[in-house]
Amino acid sequence: MSIVGEQIKLARLRRNLSVAQVAERDTCSPLTVSRIEKGVPTVAIGIYLRVLYALQLDDDILWLAKEDKQGKTLQDLSLKTRKRASKKG
């Protein structure tokens, strides 16, 4: 969470926005934005989405778990291989 918060903070600073400006855009308190930037885990994911939207980064959430290599490997291992029926002649 602290890495995500740091990335959101850097995105805000790159846009030259204050915590108060982001809070106003996403209709939450400046304290909440600060908590996100510090990586406090109790902030609801909906608030994160509103902050990302305020920073015009809302499409980035679509990258979350997109490349699930481990899950795909596990799925492939559990697939049953089909065997052909014997030809009766």
Side-chain angles (χ1 to χ4, degrees), residues 50 77 85:
R50 290 187 353 215
L77 290 173

Side-chain angles (χ1 to χ4, degrees), residues 61-73:
I61 197 71
L62 300 175
W63 288 96
L64 183 66
K66 183 174 179 156
E67 293 296 322
D68 183 13
K69 293 178 184 178
Q70 182 179 11
K72 289 178 181 177
T73 302

Side-chain angles (χ1 to χ4, degrees), residues 17-70:
L17 294 171
S18 69
V19 170
Q21 287 172 315
V22 173
E24 183 180 330
R25 289 180 181 192
D26 69 13
T27 63
C28 70
S29 72
L31 178 62
T32 302
V33 175
S34 294
R35 292 176 71 213
I36 286 173
E37 291 182 356
K38 290 177 184 172
V40 176
T42 57
V43 179
I45 191 152
I47 304 294
Y48 275 88
L49 292 173
R50 290 187 353 215
V51 168
L52 290 173
Y53 181 78
L55 296 171
Q56 298 176 338
L57 293 170
D58 47 318
D59 286 341
D60 285 6
I61 197 71
L62 300 175
W63 288 96
L64 183 66
K66 183 174 179 156
E67 293 296 322
D68 183 13
K69 293 178 184 178
Q70 182 179 11

Side-chain angles (χ1 to χ4, degrees), residues 71-83:
K72 289 178 181 177
T73 302
L74 292 170
Q75 181 182 26
D76 291 345
L77 290 173
S78 69
L79 293 176
K80 295 179 181 176
T81 55
R82 294 185 181 186
K83 296 183 180 178

